[in-house]
Amino acid sequence: GAISQDGVAMKEKYPVHEWFIAECRQAFDFLVSEYGFAGPEVECDNTIHFMYVSYTKGQIGIECVLDEREDWTSVLVYRQFCCQAT
């Protein structure tokens, strides 16, 4: 898939992609300016027709997901856990 580090430089084939990126940015760009998150990072997986727009900071992530086949969107909040062998 096509990947962009800032979400703006990516030119999409379909207007729905542009709309989805714009909606995610409107909702979550404050995380970058006010809380020091990185993003948005945009990724398309054309094999399953999904688009992801992600914001991350340390172990915390916010991921907007677009499923084009089902016309479905969601927002996931996650925390990555690390395990250390002793």
Side-chain angles (χ1 to χ4, degrees):
I3 298 175
S4 171
Q5 292 184 356
D6 64 7
V8 176
M10 185 171 181
K11 294 189 178 179
E12 295 301 332
K13 293 191 269 184
Y14 305 106
V16 70
H17 291 176
E18 293 173 9
W19 166 84
F20 185 67
I21 293 168
E23 288 293 311
C24 295
R25 293 194 67 149
Q26 183 177 6
F28 296 108
D29 268 8
F30 77 94
L31 294 171
V32 177
S33 60
E34 296 180 27
Y35 296 100
F37 275 66
E41 182 174 319
V42 178
E43 182 177 351
C44 289
D45 186 336
N46 294 324
T47 59
I48 59 173
H49 302 281
F50 271 44
M51 173 180 263
Y52 307 92
V53 179
S54 304
Y55 295 84
T56 57
K57 181 177 181 182
Q59 295 178 339
I60 304 298
I62 308 291
E63 185 170 69
C64 305
V65 182
L66 169 66
D67 178 344
E68 292 184 75
R69 288 185 179 177
E70 300 295 327
D71 195 27
W72 169 82
T73 60
S74 64
V75 175
L76 308 171
V77 179
Y78 62 88
R79 181 174 176 191
Q80 297 176 336
F81 292 97
C82 297
C83 300
Q84 292 181 329
T86 56

